[in-house]
Amino acid sequence: MKLTHYLILAAATLSLGACNGSSDAPSLSTYVDIVTLKSTDQQGSILTFRKENDSPLVTLSCSQAFSKEQIGKRIVILYQPIGGLAHAESGDVNVIQAGSVFGSGAAPLPAVVDTLNNWYSDQISYLQAYRAGQYLNLAMQMASSPTIAPKKFQCYVDETTLDSAYPELHIVFKSNADIDQQELSFYGSYDISGIWSRQNVEGIKVMCRGYSGDVVTIEKDDSSIIKPIE
């Protein structure tokens, strides 16, 4: 299956894990999740993810094949469980659409505010940020061209905050078009294990200057011990 740069989905499906099946056909419920591609060949693929925080690792099997270059990387999938499986339950699924995610599971880039114009970002209308195991997952909606990839979509960690209780992660988005813009869904996934495991850290703050909403604070407690890497 070919990966798109982003999934063009209705706003109702933007929230990760959202169910959008008809009430008359519960077996056709669809979900959106960011997953790790563990393996792929002509017989199918194995994908894993955690629903949120340190919930159990979910393993999905599908008949679709992906590029072997994506093995070990994070991707976003729109899919339907097979055989009445509930969301975030291991088993067989049918992948309807798949897209690459910004970051692909790499760590946030270290930076300081002076080098990035005070974390300037184009406007976004929706932001969902949460931890799933070692990853910070992002779902965002913003105006951009459906045919041209954005100039930038990157997650930075403010180096000056690494020794604080709540290190700051900044999302910087810059569109690549002034015309033919549509509201599109973009996804990102970044490995925050190096930040989360620091003894001084009590949580992280996720923010974007282009977002009018509140800062997203993800708290860490004694039970928030990242499970073995996916």
Side-chain angles (χ1 to χ4, degrees), residues 152-199:
K152 176 177 284 189
F153 186 120
Q154 182 60 55
C155 178
Y156 296 95
V157 57
D158 185 344
E159 289 183 293
T160 66
T161 66
L162 280 173
D163 291 328
S164 68
Y166 290 86
E168 296 179 0
L169 278 71
H170 295 263
I171 311 302
V172 175
F173 164 77
K174 294 183 180 179
S175 178
N176 201 14
D178 296 325
I179 59 175
D180 190 29
Q181 289 193 347
Q182 301 177 21
E183 283 288 308
L184 301 178
S185 303
F186 294 85
Y187 300 87
S189 189
Y190 296 86
D191 188 342
I192 59 169
S193 57
I195 300 170
W196 198 258
S197 61
R198 294 171 70 95
Q199 291 186 349

Side-chain angles (χ1 to χ4, degrees), residues 120-126 140-144 173-175 181 183-184 186 208-213:
Y120 174 81
S121 179
D122 287 347
Q123 293 295 312
I124 68 170
S125 57
Y126 176 93
M140 304 171 69
Q141 192 165 23
M142 59 207 73
S144 191
F173 164 77
K174 294 183 180 179
S175 178
Q181 289 193 347
E183 283 288 308
L184 301 178
F186 294 85
C208 178
R209 270 198 63 192
Y211 181 54
S212 60

Side-chain angles (χ1 to χ4, degrees), residues 46-224:
I46 302 296
L47 313 128
T48 62
F49 74 100
R50 297 186 192 279
K51 183 178 179 181
E52 58 185 354
N53 299 324
D54 297 305
S55 60
L57 186 68
V58 177
T59 301
L60 304 178
S61 301
C62 68
S63 61
Q64 291 83 359
F66 299 89
S67 168
K68 291 185 180 296
E69 294 179 356
Q70 296 294 326
I71 292 177
K73 295 183 179 180
R74 302 285 278 175
I75 63 175
V76 59
I77 60 171
L78 174 69
Y79 66 99
Q80 293 177 336
I82 296 174
L85 289 176
H87 180 228
E89 182 178 350
S90 295
D92 296 332
V93 300
N94 177 46
V95 176
I96 302 168
Q97 190 178 4
S100 55
V101 300
F102 291 96
S104 300
L109 293 178
V112 293
V113 64
D114 292 343
T115 62
L116 288 167
N117 191 22
N118 196 25
W119 313 114
Y120 174 81
S121 179
D122 287 347
Q123 293 295 312
I124 68 170
S125 57
Y126 176 93
L127 170 64
Q128 181 186 16
Y130 69 98
R131 185 175 69 86
Q134 79 222 57
Y135 298 105
L136 170 68
N137 285 347
L138 303 168
M140 304 171 69
Q141 192 165 23
M142 59 207 73
S144 191
S145 168
T147 58
I148 306 173
K151 289 181 181 178
K152 176 177 284 189
F153 186 120
Q154 182 60 55
C155 178
Y156 296 95
V157 57
D158 185 344
E159 289 183 293
T160 66
T161 66
L162 280 173
D163 291 328
S164 68
Y166 290 86
E168 296 179 0
L169 278 71
H170 295 263
I171 311 302
V172 175
F173 164 77
K174 294 183 180 179
S175 178
N176 201 14
D178 296 325
I179 59 175
D180 190 29
Q181 289 193 347
Q182 301 177 21
E183 283 288 308
L184 301 178
S185 303
F186 294 85
Y187 300 87
S189 189
Y190 296 86
D191 188 342
I192 59 169
S193 57
I195 300 170
W196 198 258
S197 61
R198 294 171 70 95
Q199 291 186 349
N200 60 287
V201 169
E202 297 178 13
I204 58 173
K205 292 183 177 181
V206 182
M207 55 194 72
C208 178
R209 270 198 63 192
Y211 181 54
S212 60
D214 295 333
V215 172
V216 178
T217 301
I218 301 174
E219 298 283 353
K220 178 180 179 181
D221 56 35
D222 292 340
S223 64
S224 296

